[in-house]
Structure formats: structure tokens, C-alpha cells
Amino acid sequence: MKKQKKNKDLWLNQTDIEVGCLYLTTARQYRAVLAMKGDFLIYAPSSEAMAALAADANMPFENSPFKKCQIATFAQKEYQAFEWQDTQAIRHKLTADQLAEAISQCNAKAAIEVLLAE
């Protein structure tokens, strides 16, 4: 089976990645960046092939394990613009409540504290 090449045009610039923002990969996986320090970040990934989120939907990270990776690695996934809360963009800022919900859903509070203390 032939391996499909990644489309670098769909990668994020590392400067486009922000804590508290929601992103969508071309595999329709939502990703919420929960914390960043140095070269690393912690994010919450949803399942792939997700339906579009409604503006008032709960965060889609229930029982999903958080991930820690290098910011450069996170950026090198294929991302797409998506509509959320009546705006079309590559990233969408979460409210404080939505960010807290995402952290709670994937049980990342302790891991975020460890990353920020490093």
C-alpha cells in the first residue's frame, strides 16, 4: 500500500498555535490546546471523523486521553478551517468554561500542572 504524502500547505505555523484554541484536522479530529511551555504542549484530541460541532455543544473530549507533544509535531498535522460560533477560521478561541470542560473531560489538570512547573 502506498503511503499518502502529507500536504505541508495544511500545516500550522508554530506561531498560530495558542492555548485555549480549538483546531480541526483534515481527519475531522478536534484538538483543543490546553497548555504550552517551552517546546511542548498538552492537547485534548477528539475521535476522528467527528460531525461538525454546534456552537452550544459540549466539548468532544469525554474519556479521551490528553496528549503531550512538541509544538512542532502538533503543527505538522493537516488542519482545515471550520465554522464554529458563526465564524470560519483555522482556530477558534474557547471560553474559560469550554477550556475548563475540555481539561476536565480528558483529566489533564495534573499533567498541565507538571508541564507548567517544569
Side-chain angles (χ1 to χ4, degrees):
M1 183 181 284
K2 198 172 191 180
K3 191 172 182 180
Q4 190 173 2
K5 284 190 170 191
K6 291 184 177 182
N7 183 346
K8 291 183 180 182
D9 292 336
L10 298 175
W11 290 6
L12 296 175
N13 288 319
Q14 292 182 41
T15 56
D16 290 336
I17 301 169
E18 290 182 48
V19 172
C21 284
L22 186 66
Y23 301 86
L24 181 64
T25 69
T26 55
R28 300 216 45 86
Q29 177 190 63
Y30 287 96
R31 293 174 158 204
V33 177
L34 308 177
M36 288 175 43
K37 184 166 184 190
D39 292 334
F40 290 90
L41 61 75
I42 293 176
Y43 72 96
S46 72
S47 299
E48 291 188 351
M50 293 275 309
L53 284 180
D56 60 349
N58 290 337
M59 293 288 95
F61 309 113
E62 194 67 49
N63 299 320
S64 177
F66 64 85
K67 305 277 182 167
K68 179 181 177 184
C69 70
Q70 290 187 312
I71 294 169
T73 302
F74 183 90
Q76 292 173 2
K77 185 83 174 172
E78 294 177 345
Y79 293 92
Q80 61 183 336
F82 63 104
E83 186 172 324
W84 194 57
Q85 297 180 331
D86 299 324
T87 305
Q88 181 86 16
I90 197 81
R91 68 176 175 216
H92 296 271
K93 195 73 172 165
L94 299 173
T95 65
D97 288 344
Q98 290 166 329
L99 181 57
E101 180 184 0
I103 291 168
S104 174
Q105 284 182 344
C106 68
N107 198 23
K109 186 175 181 184
I112 291 168
E113 289 171 358
V114 168
L115 175 69
L116 297 179
E118 289 176 349

